[in-house]
Amino acid sequence: MLKTVQRLLLLLFTTVLLFSCKKDNEIQIVTLPVKEKTIDFGFNLDAFNVVHDTIKRGDTFGTILDHQNLGGNQVYDIVAKVKDTFNVRSIRVGKPFTFLRTKDKKHRLQYFIYQPDKLTYYVIDLRDSVMAYKKTRPLTFKSRTIAGALNGSLSETLQNLKVDPSLASRIAKIYAWSIDFFKLQKGDEFALSFTERFINDTVYDGVDSLKAAFFEYKGKKIYAFPFSTDGSKGKLQYFDEEGKTLKNFFLKAPLKFVNITSRYTKRRFHPVQKRWKAHNGTDYAAPTGTPIMTTAAGVVIQAGYTTGNGNYVKVQHDKTYTTQYLHMSKILVKRGQRVTQGQVIGKVGSTGLATGPHVCYRFWKNGVQVDALRLNLPTSTPMDAKYKQAFMQQMTPLKKELDSIAKTIEKK
């Protein structure tokens, strides 16, 4: 009897703790937090004994399952039943997999889940009837607009702004005809509007597309807006705020990322020959093996070796312009071959009269060698007037957004 009374008193005391007086005649109910379910791969993981692991060197599908309690299922039977959906030989070292097992003492394997990438996963159901299926995680896209000032390289600056630094190489490609990124200076401003991918609405998966941008270059803002003149499914080109294409007839440089070590001049002390002479090109230093690109489309008219030039390639672009690329470690094209703008024609080296790995870029206009960095080179065909109105309607709000967020940086 005494124990019964004690239990009742304890229950009453516990109940009272859940209530507190807020004001006279008012009772506040305290709600205890409820643990949220852990959902992944379409399963409530709380209902299983979960084991996460990765494929290790020497692992096979069979060895991974060998130590699991599969009941009557044999590995070769499983492989035969799922082969049309999941090729067990496709598993790769370092890729994650998950076991979902029963929570009882037997820990019988219910599901095997393999993730070949962040977006895709395969589920093998090992319960009563073995089957497999492939699933893709839902993707969401979120727009983001940022502004900043260069502090270090573009990739470093983006990383500091918590943006996927790989976007830097995409931006450099878009601006390859209009900006020499090695001439950008610390403090130069920029603004970017882009979309980012998220897996399951939470896991960041990088930048999906660039919607608009500007970079301050030599005191001027150079804008870039993507637009297709072939409809929604056409190839995107990038134009400035006036509808002028950013893609010029010539690239700014024969390397993606460059360091100019010697410029075109009529008088330079040659580091090998130890005498003063003209330097009729621009030297871009880069590690041996760095890809060298032709700066415009054309035909290879020379590809070979001389004592001074080392391995070199010369390209005729039209009746007016010719370019040459010297000191290659390797030539990748042949005489008479037609090449496209940006095509890799060789690798950086130090063959011929060179003190270190670089490419000497030479330029002819009407048969006379000139300084490519001082030329006003021809641009590509401008946007057709019939597309101009649609472009302006698409571009105007994007430019307004870039300019607006840039003003907040200027105020700081």
Side-chain angles (χ1 to χ4, degrees), residues 12-214:
L12 179 62
F13 179 71
T14 303
T15 304
V16 170
L17 285 179
L18 295 176
F19 298 89
S20 62
C21 293
K22 187 175 181 182
K23 291 182 181 179
D24 292 343
N25 301 323
E26 288 188 14
I27 296 178
Q28 181 182 10
I29 298 177
V30 179
T31 304
L32 298 177
V34 177
K35 181 184 176 182
E36 293 185 4
K37 295 179 180 179
T38 306
I39 305 296
D40 199 5
F41 309 113
F43 296 98
N44 175 13
L45 299 188
D46 298 329
F48 298 91
N49 170 264
V50 182
V51 178
H52 296 292
D53 206 341
T54 56
I55 306 294
K56 298 177 178 59
R57 190 172 300 279
D59 279 349
T60 65
F61 183 71
T63 59
I64 291 170
L65 297 187
D66 270 348
H67 303 294
Q68 300 302 313
N69 187 351
L70 293 173
N73 289 319
Q74 298 297 320
V75 172
Y76 61 85
D77 289 332
I78 297 170
V79 171
K81 291 178 180 178
V82 304
K83 65 179 182 179
D84 291 337
T85 303
F86 178 63
N87 179 5
V88 298
R89 294 182 179 179
S90 67
I91 62 175
R92 295 290 179 264
V93 173
K95 297 298 182 181
F97 67 88
T98 301
F99 289 142
L100 300 185
R101 309 187 302 187
T102 58
K103 297 189 77 170
D104 56 24
K105 292 181 179 179
K106 292 184 178 181
H107 285 171
R108 181 169 293 175
L109 185 60
Q110 303 287 283
Y111 300 94
F112 170 80
I113 303 168
Y114 174 70
Q115 302 174 73
D117 53 60
K118 290 190 292 185
L119 195 60
T120 308
Y121 61 92
Y122 291 89
V123 177
I124 298 181
D125 186 341
L126 297 165
R127 295 175 301 169
D128 298 335
S129 179
V130 175
M131 61 176 291
Y133 55 89
K134 179 182 178 181
K135 298 282 278 187
T136 301
R137 295 181 185 276
L139 271 179
T140 53
F141 300 88
K142 300 178 183 180
S143 294
R144 185 178 171 196
T145 301
I146 63 168
L150 282 178
N151 185 15
S153 69
L154 178 57
S155 59
E156 290 171 337
T157 304
L158 291 176
Q159 194 163 23
N160 292 336
L161 292 170
K162 302 188 184 306
V163 179
D164 183 359
S166 68
L167 178 60
S169 61
R170 294 167 64 178
I171 291 171
K173 187 175 181 181
I174 291 167
Y175 280 103
W177 296 268
S178 49
I179 293 179
D180 182 347
F181 276 82
F182 279 84
K183 290 185 179 179
L184 291 176
Q185 300 177 356
K186 182 178 180 180
D188 282 348
E189 295 181 358
F190 65 90
L192 306 170
S193 182
F194 51 93
T195 55
E196 296 176 298
R197 296 184 303 272
F198 290 84
I199 299 172
N200 282 346
D201 204 37
T202 56
V203 180
Y204 182 66
D205 193 42
V207 173
D208 181 70
S209 60
L210 182 69
K211 296 163 58 180
F214 82 67

Side-chain angles (χ1 to χ4, degrees), residues 183 218 252 263-264 282 370-377:
K183 290 185 179 179
K218 296 182 178 181
K252 282 287 186 181
R263 294 176 179 271
Y264 181 98
T282 305
V370 293
D371 185 355
L373 298 180
R374 293 182 177 273
L375 285 179
N376 290 320
L377 295 170

Side-chain angles (χ1 to χ4, degrees), residues 354-373:
T355 57
H358 73 287
V359 56
C360 179
Y361 176 56
R362 295 185 177 181
F363 203 101
W364 283 261
K365 182 178 180 180
N366 294 320
V368 179
Q369 281 192 270
V370 293
D371 185 355
L373 298 180

